[in-house]
Amino acid sequence: MIRVGWIFSLVRSGSSAAAYGAAAPWKLGIADEPFGPWIRTRPPHAMPATQQELVRAFRAVGHTLSADVVGIANRLFAELAERDASGKGRVICKCPHLLFTPDEFETWFGTGASFNGTPIAHHAVYLIRNPVRRVNSAYSRRWEHVLNDPFELEIYRTFMQRWKRAESRVRYDDLRREPTAFFRDLHRSMGFGSGETDAEDAAAEAAHYVRTTYHASSGETSDDDPMHPISESGWHAPREALDVYLADDEIRSFMGEQGWPTHRSAYEPGPLRSLWRRVRSA
């Protein structure tokens, strides 16, 4: 049996910390955005050459799922599963985009998936982050170019609705505040772990990983303090980002349900910080 745990999220939502942290206890293979657009067969990702084939096949059919694309993906997962030294065939797949819908995922990767006669169990987990903090994260890294429009309001709304309907879902807040409990839930949702003691030890090891390792970009780490990310050290996005999200009734209500602040003062910098940012920009 091959077990593939999928993490679906939007970019700048902590999916790298979640994926690499979850893999750390067993040093599992990670399919880090395997459908592209990047070829990731070299370090730090070091995926098998099959990933390059998958990127090209996915692009050739207009970035949709097909029998050929799914067949190549399952072959890639099978090759990565061999890296699980315990022999349990576990793999983590990170997909921080709206590549395909939950129904499409269930159709192509649901019950009955296999490779060369070996069954493959695919488990999807949805990871969400405060939308204002997420957009601020992109701007703090000067990654606003990865956003499909300045603030991705409708993209966030789509993902939010998928997250609310998902059977397995986690939050970036819990990854930061209670990482051991976060990884305990994540491993269980992915079908990983074994006995209760092993599961607790694995969650603790994963938590230690995210407390000591900062993923600046996907599999690339940096010397930044993982407990004090740049995105939460100040306000970096345009003020309009607050207007867009806090004025939307549906998203504002969702933010309130999650315990996320819904007033501007929780995000906007004070006058002195604003002046300092203008001076630096000049």
Side-chain angles (χ1 to χ4, degrees):
M1 169 71 77
I2 296 170
R3 296 173 175 83
V4 184
W6 295 65
I7 299 177
F8 287 103
S9 71
L10 296 177
V11 294
R12 306 312 301 170
S13 294
S15 60
S16 293
Y20 286 88
W26 305 289
K27 298 179 175 57
L28 305 181
I30 296 180
D32 192 333
E33 301 182 62
F35 296 88
W38 304 281
I39 305 299
R40 289 183 160 171
T41 55
R42 295 181 178 179
H45 306 96
M47 279 188 272
T50 300
Q51 191 260 340
Q52 180 173 340
E53 185 180 347
L54 176 60
V55 170
R56 292 172 176 170
F58 191 56
R59 183 172 57 233
V61 293
H63 301 98
T64 59
L65 294 178
S66 67
D68 183 47
V69 168
V70 173
I72 297 172
N74 280 329
R75 185 190 343 141
L76 173 64
F77 296 142
E79 292 169 349
L80 286 169
E82 295 177 358
R83 298 181 181 179
D84 184 352
S86 72
K88 294 180 179 178
R90 295 165 296 189
V91 181
I92 293 175
C93 179
K94 182 167 78 77
C95 269
H97 304 283
L98 298 178
L99 287 185
F100 30 84
T101 68
D103 287 343
E104 290 171 331
F105 174 81
E106 184 61 31
T107 296
W108 290 102
F109 294 103
T111 305
S114 65
F115 177 74
N116 283 350
T118 300
I120 303 179
H122 292 277
H123 297 280
V125 182
Y126 284 75
L127 168 66
I128 202 165
R129 185 181 188 181
N130 178 326
V132 176
R133 297 292 188 197
R134 185 184 81 87
V135 170
N136 188 52
S137 177
Y139 279 89
S140 72
R141 288 284 174 182
R142 297 186 178 180
W143 278 23
E144 53 267 35
H145 63 279
V146 307
L147 304 176
N148 289 285
D149 61 51
F151 311 123
E152 293 198 328
L153 178 72
E154 294 306 320
I155 287 176
Y156 188 87
R157 190 192 314 280
T158 297
F159 185 80
M160 175 187 74
Q161 293 168 348
R162 293 182 183 181
W163 184 87
K164 292 172 72 173
R165 294 193 299 267
E167 180 178 348
S168 298
R169 58 193 189 186
V170 292
R171 306 186 315 160
Y172 176 79
D173 308 60
D174 303 317
L175 170 62
R176 291 290 313 284
R177 296 172 187 167
E178 300 180 276
T180 300
F182 174 91
F183 284 110
R184 187 189 307 120
D185 291 343
L186 184 62
H187 287 153
R188 182 173 59 249
S189 297
M190 289 178 166
F192 292 177
S194 51
E196 185 174 340
T197 301
D198 291 343
E200 194 65 28
D201 290 345
E205 189 171 341
H208 174 74
Y209 180 90
V210 298
R211 288 192 185 105
T212 57
T213 308
Y214 186 82
H215 282 264
S217 171
S218 191
E220 299 177 2
T221 59
S222 74
D223 293 331
D224 292 336
D225 183 353
M227 302 309 295
H228 298 90
I230 294 174
S231 62
E232 297 188 5
S233 63
W235 182 252
H236 306 272
R239 295 187 64 187
E240 290 79 5
L242 283 171
D243 296 331
V244 165
Y245 282 98
L246 298 184
D248 186 281
D249 290 340
E250 183 184 12
I251 292 181
R252 183 185 176 95
S253 176
F254 176 72
M255 291 175 65
E257 292 170 3
Q258 301 305 314
W260 298 332
T262 56
H263 50 279
R264 301 181 66 92
S265 61
Y267 303 101
E268 279 190 319
L272 290 178
R273 187 180 292 273
S274 296
L275 176 62
W276 175 241
R277 285 192 62 209
R278 288 197 296 270
V279 169
R280 289 185 63 189
S281 297

